[in-house]
Amino acid sequence: MPYLINLIDSPGHVDFSSEVTAALRVTDGALVVVDYVEGVCVQTETVLRQALAERITPVLFINKIDRGILELQAEGEDMYQSFQRVIENANVIISTYESDDVGSQQVDPMKGNVAFGSALFGWAFTLTKFARFYSAKFKLDRDKLMSKFWGENYFSPSEKKFVTDPATPDGQVLPRCFVQFIMKPIISLCRSCMEGKVDSVQTVLESLNITLKPEEKEKRGKDLFKSVFQKWLNAADALLEMIIMKLPSPRQA
């Protein structure tokens, strides 16, 4: 089924709040972009407040996570904590300004209305994407997996089941599911691209059924990273899916 989506880009600067208000009058949903490094700032609060005053449903995109991986050399758990902070701060603002008669407009990765990615490199993902991938692999229900991929959930290889306590009987500490199944593969593939480990990149791509064109295989560093990630986690796919599934149609709105 085809969809037509009109995007109105509103300025992020605080001096342009009247332009934001004008844009919100003709829209049915808001894609709120927050910087992974800077987090929720004053302008994010202003935009969310204006959107909620107009009864517009927000979805959240945490941008520039490539900076966390490449510049800050953050590991999966650090990134999870940063994401959690951004989402909590956004939800504090949403709960302050949301209308009682609209119902809860909180954002939650488990609901599929939060995306993570890098606009600069053109890639993004939601938990929906990974739940779909792993549900085929593990033969498990997609919605059940989405609830396991966030929060205090861990996978115990010895027991072959999901647990809520990271400490194992033999004294090891398990990584949370979000880190183990999502951030670890992303960080590992990103660093392999940047370090020119072409063979390991190729092995991962084969397991994902992704093929690079001959000229793309010649790329190195950021160019290779961009090509690989746009094929694996294309930003357009993630954002379109989130907009279609989580924001109301004009008729609904």
Side-chain angles (χ1 to χ4, degrees):
M1 182 182 174
Y3 291 91
L4 172 65
I5 295 167
N6 294 307
L7 288 171
I8 299 174
D9 181 19
S10 65
H13 199 274
V14 75
D15 293 347
F16 294 101
S17 56
S18 57
E19 276 86 342
V20 174
T21 305
L24 287 169
R25 292 278 156 86
V26 293
T27 51
D28 307 302
L31 175 67
V32 180
V33 181
V34 177
D35 188 311
Y36 165 80
V37 181
E38 290 177 19
V40 172
C41 55
V42 176
Q43 185 53 11
T44 315
E45 179 166 358
T46 309
V47 169
L48 274 170
R49 189 183 72 229
Q50 288 171 295
L52 295 163
E54 297 286 343
R55 287 181 156 71
I56 285 172
T57 304
V59 291
L60 185 67
F61 176 52
I62 302 178
N63 189 22
K64 299 188 185 176
I65 72 170
D66 56 289
R67 288 188 63 195
I69 301 168
L70 301 176
E71 286 177 33
L72 306 175
Q73 294 290 308
E75 293 305 328
E77 181 61 29
D78 304 328
M79 295 192 77
Y80 172 83
Q81 296 299 340
S82 296
F83 295 152
Q84 181 81 313
R85 232 179 350 263
V86 168
I87 293 161
E88 276 175 11
N89 291 344
N91 279 332
V92 166
I93 297 165
I94 292 168
S95 62
T96 308
Y97 298 112
E98 67 188 352
S99 308
D100 296 335
D101 55 347
V102 177
S104 173
Q105 293 190 309
Q106 301 271 299
V107 292
D108 184 342
M110 290 187 284
K111 288 184 191 168
N113 58 9
V114 179
F116 312 86
S118 163
L120 178 67
F121 289 102
W123 62 274
F125 66 90
T126 58
L127 293 196
T128 319
K129 162 88 180 176
F130 280 93
R132 197 183 296 118
F133 172 74
Y134 284 112
S135 72
K137 202 172 175 177
F138 291 150
K139 305 284 183 283
L140 282 171
D141 178 59
R142 192 186 80 184
D143 294 336
K144 185 186 175 187
L145 272 179
M146 276 185 74
S147 67
K148 299 295 182 197
F149 282 167
W150 195 256
E152 304 303 313
N153 289 298
Y154 309 85
F155 183 74
S156 169
S158 57
E159 299 170 89
K160 288 198 167 34
K161 66 174 186 179
F162 292 101
V163 293
T164 51
D165 183 4
T168 61
D170 57 1
Q172 287 183 307
V173 178
L174 297 167
R176 72 177 72 242
C177 289
F178 179 78
V179 174
Q180 184 180 351
F181 294 113
I182 299 176
M183 285 320 297
K184 242 184 186 163
I186 287 175
I187 292 170
S188 168
L189 185 56
C190 170
R191 292 191 178 147
S192 294
C193 290
M194 296 304 289
E195 290 161 14
K197 295 177 180 170
V198 182
D199 292 343
S200 57
V201 170
Q202 197 55 45
T203 308
V204 174
L205 292 181
E206 281 168 15
S207 70
L208 296 166
N209 295 324
I210 295 170
T211 48
L212 291 179
K213 293 174 187 165
E215 63 269 21
E216 288 173 326
K217 289 178 184 173
E218 301 303 315
K219 292 179 177 177
R220 294 293 177 269
K222 286 186 176 178
D223 293 334
L224 179 64
F225 170 41
K226 193 172 182 175
S227 288
V228 166
F229 273 72
Q230 282 187 1
K231 278 190 157 58
W232 179 31
L233 303 171
N234 193 282
D237 296 343
L239 296 179
L240 282 173
E241 184 180 83
M242 187 164 71
I243 288 166
I244 292 161
M245 306 295 283
K246 301 299 166 189
L247 294 180
S249 67
R251 188 174 290 165
Q252 250 181 309

